[in-house]
Amino acid sequence: QVQLMESGGDSVQAGGSLTLSCTASRWSWSQMGWFRQAPGKQREGVAIVDDDGAPYYLDSVHGRFTISKDNAKHILWLQMAELQPEDTAIYYCAARRAGWVPPRSLLRRPEDFSDWGQGTQVTVSS
C-alpha cells in the first residue's frame, strides 16, 4: 500500500483560506479525492477529481473549495477559501488505483478508495 501524505492543515479565523497538499512516492491513481471527518460525525467527501481532471464538490463547499492535481509532480491540492467553523475537521486525501466510479457517487462512498493519508487538521474559529 502506497502512503499518501497530507500537509497544510492549520488554525485560521472564519473567512480565511488554506491550501492542503497530498503527495505520494508512487502516482498512478484513477480517481482521487478529499474527505473530512469532524468529531462525532461520519467521514464525508468534500471534493473528487476524476481521472480526466474534472472536479466534483460537496454542495456546501462548492464555490469555496477547489480541487486540482499535477500528475507530473505527484501532488493533489485542495484550495479552501471563505472557511467557516463548520469546515473544522481532519481532512484526508484518498485515491483509487483502478476502475471508474461515477465521481459524484464517490463523495458518498469512502469505501471505494483503496489508499488514504493519515489526515491533517483544519480548525476554523469564529
Side-chain angles (χ1 to χ4, degrees):
Q1 189 172 3
V2 177
Q3 181 68 47
L4 296 167
M5 185 174 299
E6 304 96 337
S7 62
D10 205 345
S11 297
V12 298
Q13 291 191 328
S17 301
L18 283 174
T19 296
L20 306 182
S21 300
C22 173
T23 61
S25 57
R26 196 197 83 174
W27 201 265
S28 57
W29 316 112
S30 62
Q31 295 166 297
M32 302 187 74
W34 288 95
F35 286 74
R36 66 186 181 188
Q37 189 163 18
K41 295 188 177 181
Q42 290 188 334
R43 190 169 296 191
E44 66 176 355
V46 174
I48 302 295
V49 60
D50 209 350
D51 50 5
D52 64 357
Y56 299 83
Y57 299 100
L58 180 69
D59 285 347
S60 63
V61 309
H62 195 276
R64 300 189 296 122
F65 289 12
T66 302
I67 187 171
S68 60
K69 64 177 180 176
D70 186 325
N71 290 331
K73 295 182 179 179
H74 295 193
I75 300 179
L76 174 74
W77 291 286
L78 183 68
Q79 296 173 279
M80 305 185 292
E82 300 176 33
L83 284 162
Q84 300 301 318
E86 52 265 35
D87 295 317
T88 295
I90 299 175
Y91 283 71
Y92 298 90
C93 170
R96 290 172 45 79
R97 298 191 179 196
W100 187 84
V101 174
R104 291 195 189 280
S105 71
L106 285 175
L107 287 169
R108 302 182 301 275
R109 296 180 59 84
E111 64 270 22
D112 283 346
F113 288 83
S114 54
D115 294 79
W116 290 83
Q118 294 186 329
T120 186
Q121 177 71 48
V122 172
T123 302
V124 185
S125 57
S126 57

